[in-house]
Amino acid sequence: MNFPIPDFISVPSAEIMQTISIVSLIVGICLVGAGLIFLFLNRKKGTEKKTTALWIIIGVGVLLIVNHGIQLLF
């Protein structure tokens, strides 16, 4: 369906949307990488701290990767 967009709402061009998706994909990869590094560093020390925040960071990163990866395919 093609809905009319009012004039007062700015819609970015296709190139800008692609750039936003690429940056979000890179941010997602960095979040997953940083979360995994800190998760393994905590296990290496032998301290079993709460790792809930790290799992949330990893989950957000995976969500960004999946969402913007699929968006870049189409």
Side-chain angles (χ1 to χ4, degrees):
M1 298 181 88
N2 198 3
F3 295 108
I5 299 174
D7 291 336
F8 60 88
I9 297 176
S10 62
V11 178
S13 65
E15 294 85 22
I16 293 175
M17 291 298 288
Q18 185 178 13
T19 304
I20 291 171
S21 289
I22 291 170
V23 169
S24 296
L25 182 70
I26 292 170
V27 167
I29 292 169
C30 291
L31 283 174
V32 170
L36 289 174
I37 287 172
F38 285 120
L39 187 68
F40 289 127
L41 286 177
N42 281 342
R43 286 189 183 181
K44 201 172 203 179
K45 290 180 184 177
T47 57
E48 291 298 325
K49 296 180 181 178
K50 284 190 170 182
T51 57
T52 307
L54 293 175
W55 284 110
I56 291 173
I57 290 173
I58 292 170
V60 169
V62 168
L63 186 66
L64 282 172
I65 291 171
V66 169
N67 183 19
H68 292 286
I70 292 172
Q71 207 170 25
L72 286 171
L73 290 176
F74 298 108

